[in-house]
Structure formats: structure tokens, C-alpha cells
Amino acid sequence: LGLAGLLYAVHPQLQRGWLAHAHDWLHTVGLVVFRGAFAWGSASGQKPTAWVAAGASAVALGVLLFAINVLTRLRAPRAPYK
């Protein structure tokens, strides 16, 4: 999430569009669910496997959307064809 913040600050054009918003929401909510379920499972002794998996999957999808956003918007300009 820190790398995403750094890239969004250096390249503001990455902040526009639905990919950036979806990445932010999926990553943030996924981390809250993942860490909350993991902490609850550690404190209670139960195994909240489904909640941990759901949170981790949301984070993974958010990272994938971030990668797509970066790779599609930060292309090097092509040289004109002669």
C-alpha cells in the first residue's frame, strides 16, 4: 500500500479512473477483514479460515488491479515510425 501511495503521488494520472478507486477499496477493506479475522482467530483460538481467505483474496485482487493500472498508464512513449 505504501508503494501504491508513492506511485500515486509521483504520477497523479494513475489516480484517475475506476481502477485506482477499485484498487484502493479492495486493498483497504481486504486488509481490514484479513487482519481482523486473523487477530480474532488468534485471540479466540478458533480458525476463521473463510474470513482470512476472503480478506486475502480481496487484497490480491486489489494488487492485481493496481498492477494493471500502472502497466496500462505508465507506458514509455513510442518513437515515431520512420
Side-chain angles (χ1 to χ4, degrees), residues 3-21:
L3 176 63
L6 177 66
L7 278 174
Y8 286 150
V10 173
H11 300 284
Q13 72 270 22
L14 290 175
Q15 297 176 18
R16 292 189 294 267
W18 68 273
L19 280 173
H21 296 291

Side-chain angles (χ1 to χ4, degrees), residues 11-20 67-76:
H11 300 284
Q13 72 270 22
L14 290 175
Q15 297 176 18
R16 292 189 294 267
W18 68 273
L19 280 173
I68 291 170
N69 190 19
V70 169
L71 292 175
T72 58
R73 292 185 183 223
L74 286 186
R75 292 185 184 171

Side-chain angles (χ1 to χ4, degrees), residues 1-66:
L1 206 49
L3 176 63
L6 177 66
L7 278 174
Y8 286 150
V10 173
H11 300 284
Q13 72 270 22
L14 290 175
Q15 297 176 18
R16 292 189 294 267
W18 68 273
L19 280 173
H21 296 291
H23 156 248
D24 182 45
W25 277 102
L26 282 169
H27 208 138
T28 302
V29 171
L31 277 175
V32 169
V33 170
F34 174 77
R35 292 182 68 166
F38 195 77
W40 179 72
S42 296
S44 69
Q46 297 179 0
K47 296 181 181 176
T49 308
W51 286 101
V52 171
S57 297
V59 170
L61 184 58
V63 169
L64 178 65
L65 292 180
F66 174 68

